[in-house]
Amino acid sequence: MKYRCIIFDLDGTILNTLDDLADSTNYALGQFGFSKRTTDEVRRFVGNGIGKLIERAVPENTDENTISEVLECFKKYYGEHCSDKTKPYEGIDKLIQFIKENDGLTAVVSNKADFAVQELCKQYFPGMFDFVVGEREGIRRKPSPDSVFEVIDKLSVKKEEALYVGDSDVDLETAKNAGIDCMAVEWGFRGRKFLIEKGADNIASKPQDIVNFLAEK
């Protein structure tokens, strides 16, 4: 296999979490009398952590204390409803299985809150990842490479042995900042045209494309 360790983003890459994110965002907004956001708006807001999601979702000029209260409301609701509509993208299980069958290592690095990342990976991919990390206090979130470096160190692999797989410009920047190769996926929250505009060199249309890429000699 071309790489020894494959590091995945979560939202929009291995799991379609958009509907639950939108529902939780709108629940929190509604509790404060704010207007709801469309699913497409929420799609554009995600990628930089739930703090940024809520900051972008609330009305312009909302004060910081209120933003913090909306965020706490979102976190509580999402913690209880993060898997109501979420599901893996078709073919992801076969991709991970291929990696494991070829003695590869797998990891997840996400800007989603760590509690949700751990829960969702445990629920949808039990025992399939060697290391999983989400957003945690005191750790710089993507596009900082800190969590990628944590994975590389934890799994004892070299940078040139790692491939980062994600669906957004944040993922492209994360891989670049970490000094590792990147494979973008077009089935997530951004799309092929956006990824090309952001400089993506390798873009997968379906998980099988990544299998084929990894299997190349």
Side-chain angles (χ1 to χ4, degrees), residues 29 34-35 37 54-63 67:
L29 291 173
F34 296 146
S35 298
R37 293 291 193 166
I54 297 304
E55 186 180 315
R56 291 162 176 163
V58 297
E60 191 175 357
N61 298 322
T62 300
D63 65 89
I67 293 174

Side-chain angles (χ1 to χ4, degrees), residues 20 66-67 70 83 95 137 192 208 213 215:
D20 284 327
T66 302
I67 293 174
V70 177
S83 60
L95 167 58
E137 190 173 346
R192 175 175 285 269
Q208 183 61 41
F213 177 74

